[in-house]
Amino acid sequence: MAEIRRIGVLTSGGDCAGLNAVIRAVTHRARRAYGWKVFGILDGTMGLMDRPLRYRELDSEMFSGFDILRAGGTVLGTVNKGDPFAFPMADGSKTDRSLDFVDGFHSLELDALVVVGGDGSMRILKKLCDKGSIGMVGVPKTIDNDVHGTEYAVGFSTATNVVTEALDRLQATAASHHRVMILEVMGRDAGHIAVSAGIAGGADVILIPEIPYTLEGVAKRIREVQQEGRSHALIVVAEGVLTPEGERATVAYAGGQTRYGGISQYLSDRIAQDTGTETRVTILGHVQRGGIPSMRDRLLASAFGVHAVDLVAARKFGRMVAWQDRGVVDVPMEEVCIGPRSLDPNGTLVHAARGLGIYVGEVNAA
Ligand code: F6P
């Protein structure tokens, strides 16, 4: 069995705070403990698919200042489009470029790959690595926190801190104007961000894709708040929530890409009508992904990075590092790559929210 001397690390999918802390931890551990060379692949899978290959060698000295630990984003760059198995070409067709990736890996003479990605990236990278017999270890990251096998993914803590702070700010202006403020947050088809930050930020209503709701239920809670003597209210809605008629709100971007977004405007109009109260909408967007990583994300990223390298050293490939029961463990990729992890509608967080009087959707619908 060939000795491990050179490993690659790449970040794939949407960026988030804490990615640089993972890259730093992987580099420190691989170089200091094992004496390996570490190559950062630029722009996710693209760095190995493009010719010439795009990468940079990472050394501990590069990270000896403390800036990287504190910096948001990823110094390696990332992409969240362009599946190598169905790669979009200039003429609009799609082609399989997976072998470009595999050849790129081998021509850089890498012995293993650490993939920092969310649920979608993890699935594609596993398929690529299986195809090329590449030893892969995964590190979960996504503000959505919807990766199976781990309680927390890197980026979630910072994002929820941002949302909580946004609610703190919105509360003051909501109170001044006697308004209902609707804050739309990211998360795709999962309500992890909305529920955690909604509880922490004192929301009156939290709407998530996992639990059906009614406009009457929302209006009832707003009226209750008003009867209790408070003339303002806070609503958090996850971007993946559908209208009661089952319609999805999306935003179209140039190049044919669409993203979730806009459900808050729909709700705003309906709630204003139903309650006679003035409403305003804030769509937080990519603010949730940027900024200085929280303590928890730096901690998670650092512990994950070290454990990922130790897995490579032990040749325990096809596994993802994970956080479970107050510690770092690792789980097989097969248990991870089964689609996004939803929030449990019967779990403790929803129970806590309801216990606080928050309307989280219809009780018997969950
Ligand atoms: O998966 C992370 C995420 O931020 C989602 O919450 C959001 O729907 C999506 O990415 C936005 O993607 P983009 O950065 O391409 O706009």
Side-chain angles (χ1 to χ4, degrees), residues 43-109:
D43 297 331
T45 49
M46 292 307 302
L48 289 181
M49 282 161 63
D50 287 346
R51 299 293 178 273
L53 297 170
R54 293 190 297 113
Y55 62 90
R56 64 193 265 210
E57 187 173 350
L58 306 176
D59 55 41
S60 302
E61 293 70 46
M62 201 184 272
F63 300 146
S64 60
F66 294 108
D67 296 351
I68 192 94
L69 186 61
R70 302 168 209 285
T74 163
V75 288
L76 298 180
T78 185
V79 285
N80 67 350
K81 57 183 189 302
D83 174 357
F85 288 96
F87 194 81
M89 305 300 281
D91 65 1
S93 64
K94 298 216 165 148
T95 192
D96 183 352
R97 291 193 56 198
S98 54
L99 277 179
D100 290 344
F101 176 89
V102 172
D103 291 346
F105 176 88
H106 291 301
S107 50
L108 197 49
E109 297 178 356

Side-chain angles (χ1 to χ4, degrees), residues 296-319:
R296 180 146 288 278
D297 274 333
R298 296 184 211 185
L299 189 67
L300 205 59
S302 303
F304 277 174
V306 168
H307 192 63
V309 170
D310 289 346
L311 285 178
V312 172
R315 292 181 174 279
K316 288 174 97 184
F317 296 127
R319 301 187 73 78

